[in-house]
Structures are given as C-alpha cells and as structure tokens.
C-alpha cells in the first residue's frame, strides 16, 4: 500500500454502526456487523475501529496492523471503560484499572513490558 492515503468512515446512531470507504481501512464492518449491537462508543486508529458495547466488551474491525484484529487479547477485553486510539494501535482501560493494548507493537499495541506499572490507571493519552 505504500504511502497511499486510505480512508474510511463510520456512523453510529441508536447503538448501531455502519461503515463505508476503503475496506482495508475499516470501511467494511459487515463481517462483525452482528456483534455491533448495543454500541456505546466507537474509536478510530488510522485504519481500524474499536467499539465498546454496553456490556463492556469490545468489537474491532479494519486493518489488523492498525488494531483491527484484537483476537490475541479477546479474553481480556471485558469490563472496558475507555479506549484510547493511537495511529496503529489501541489501549483500553478495564473497570479494575488495568490496561489492555493491541495493534502494532511499535505504536503502543504491546504493553507486556510494563504490566506492573499499568494498575489503577485512570486515563490514557496518545503521545
């Protein structure tokens, strides 16, 4: 894909989501559409989306390199209170104050080296 600009959009209304645009940038949420029910809030990286549902679970779609695939942390994405998007990663704060991250490791998608420091976290900021 090189330096090509890829774009996609999403719209949320009445707790449902519709996406359009470049499919590889999150413009196609049809594969996970049935899971996008009871959507509380949607967050975007440069080529992926993450939605918090009312039950505290998370649904992701888009470019797997930008956080669109959260399979590796799926079991940890429960009781999510907030998500912070970075360019190609996401970090989520759980109800217990712990943090779950996924996406490109060099963009913040891997917090395995600092788990002890990520307790009782109240907020996250993209840097």
């Amino acid at each position: 894909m090189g330096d090509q600009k890829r774009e996609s959009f999403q719209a949320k209304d009445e707790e449902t989501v519709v996406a359009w645009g470049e499919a590889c940038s999150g413009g196609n949420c049809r594969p996970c559409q049935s899971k996008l029910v009871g959507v509380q809030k949607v967050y975007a990286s440069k080529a992926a989306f993450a939605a918090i549902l009312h039950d505290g679970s998370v649904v992701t779609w888009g470019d797997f390199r930008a956080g669109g695939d959260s399979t590796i942390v799926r079991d940890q994405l429960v009781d999510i209170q907030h998500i912070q998007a970075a360019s190609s990663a996401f970090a989520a704060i759980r109800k217990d104050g712990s943090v779950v991250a996924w996406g490109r490791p060099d963009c913040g998608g891997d917090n395995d080296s600092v788990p002890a420091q990520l307790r009782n976290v109240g907020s996250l900021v993209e840097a």
Side-chain angles (χ1 to χ4, degrees):
M1 302 264 169
D3 291 335
Q4 285 182 308
K5 187 174 181 181
R6 299 182 302 166
E7 295 181 349
S8 63
F9 302 92
Q10 63 81 32
K12 177 184 160 308
D13 186 29
E14 299 299 322
E15 303 181 351
T16 60
V17 173
V18 175
W20 66 95
E22 187 75 37
C24 62
S25 295
N28 178 10
C29 63
R30 281 183 295 242
C32 62
Q33 190 73 56
S34 64
K35 297 176 185 174
L36 289 169
V37 177
V39 175
Q40 180 180 335
K41 192 161 183 180
V42 178
Y43 302 85
S45 71
K46 72 175 184 179
F49 294 97
I52 299 179
L53 306 184
H54 284 298
D55 66 1
S57 63
V58 174
V59 176
T60 59
W61 70 96
D63 188 336
F64 72 95
R65 297 166 294 193
D69 182 359
S70 57
T71 306
I72 195 163
V73 293
R74 173 68 51 215
D75 294 341
Q76 299 172 58
L77 291 175
V78 295
D79 296 327
I80 300 301
Q81 302 292 303
H82 175 74
I83 293 176
Q84 178 64 51
S87 64
S88 294
F90 294 95
I93 301 176
R94 296 178 59 182
K95 192 175 190 176
D96 65 4
S98 61
V99 175
V100 180
W102 68 97
R104 276 185 51 181
D106 61 335
C107 291
D110 181 1
N111 63 336
D112 288 343
S113 63
V114 291
Q117 290 88 356
L118 296 175
R119 301 280 182 235
N120 301 312
V121 174
S123 64
L124 297 165
V125 178
E126 179 189 8

